[in-house]
Amino acid sequence: LKMLHYDFGVYEKVSQAMYQVFFEEEAAEVVQPVSCDEAYIELAPGTDPEEAARRVRKRLMEKTRCPASAGVGGNMLLARLATKQAKPNGHRVMLGVEEAMTYLQELPMREIPGVGWELGMKLNQKGLDTCGEMWRVSLPVLQSWLGEKTGLMLYKACRGQDDREVIPKVARKSVGAEVNWGCLLYT
């Protein structure tokens, strides 16, 4: 085991350079920081999302010498899932409804943000392992099993629905040390 100590000064410098790239991106209408190395970027209408992802990844490599993954989706959830598919050091565009539904149909429930071990086990006990299997369950039934809020979240997420808006800078709540160099593009 070789232990490496964190160098927060370097992380901060690279993070600042990364965000400078995001804010300088001409197609970025809104940038929402997520962590020291992730952000949602809402692209201007008419922007070629694949070209924007390539451009941002290239500029990140030039400025930080760090590879980056980017996911483009019609909403924040799909962008995040696309980024997972793009890792490591790639980009994935998932804008079409049909494409998203094909992807989601086989997606394990545990890949949905917010589905942890315990919730995953509850769903597994009901015979639900994938989003496609979840499509057979009505919203009222799902809410009776998991509660109103969690049931609605899962019902919508398994169908690729996410109505959250990209919002600029939110107040920092904590500082973390995990770095995985991904970025999310949202259009």
Side-chain angles (χ1 to χ4, degrees), residues 27-157:
E29 288 206 324
V30 181
V31 176
Q32 178 180 332
V34 176
S35 68
C36 69
D37 68 342
E38 293 185 9
Y40 288 102
I41 301 172
E42 184 169 353
L43 300 173
T47 300
D48 178 340
E50 190 152 353
E51 180 55 38
R54 273 194 202 98
R55 187 172 50 244
V56 166
R57 290 180 57 243
K58 181 180 180 212
R59 292 191 63 225
L60 286 170
M61 179 59 86
E62 290 167 356
K63 285 215 172 210
T64 68
R65 295 189 336 250
C66 296
S69 301
V72 181
N75 59 46
M76 292 170 77
L77 171 67
L78 294 177
R80 184 169 175 182
L81 293 173
T83 300
K84 279 186 171 185
Q85 271 199 309
K87 291 182 183 227
N89 194 27
H91 69 272
R92 170 88 158 82
V93 177
M94 192 177 351
L95 291 173
V97 173
E98 188 175 313
E99 177 185 18
M101 296 309 282
T102 299
Y103 172 71
L104 288 167
Q105 184 172 5
E106 299 301 321
L107 185 72
M109 290 299 305
R110 291 201 178 159
E111 294 293 316
I112 297 293
V115 177
W117 186 86
E118 187 174 331
L119 182 53
M121 288 302 294
K122 280 184 187 179
L123 295 169
N124 185 265
Q125 289 170 355
K126 301 284 187 184
L128 303 170
D129 293 310
T130 67
C131 285
E133 292 168 346
M134 185 73 98
W135 297 344
R136 298 188 309 254
V137 181
S138 71
L139 177 58
V141 169
L142 198 54
Q143 288 177 317
S144 73
W145 292 344
L146 306 172
E148 191 173 318
K149 186 176 176 182
T150 302
L152 178 61
M153 180 276 293
L154 279 178
Y155 183 86
K156 291 172 77 174

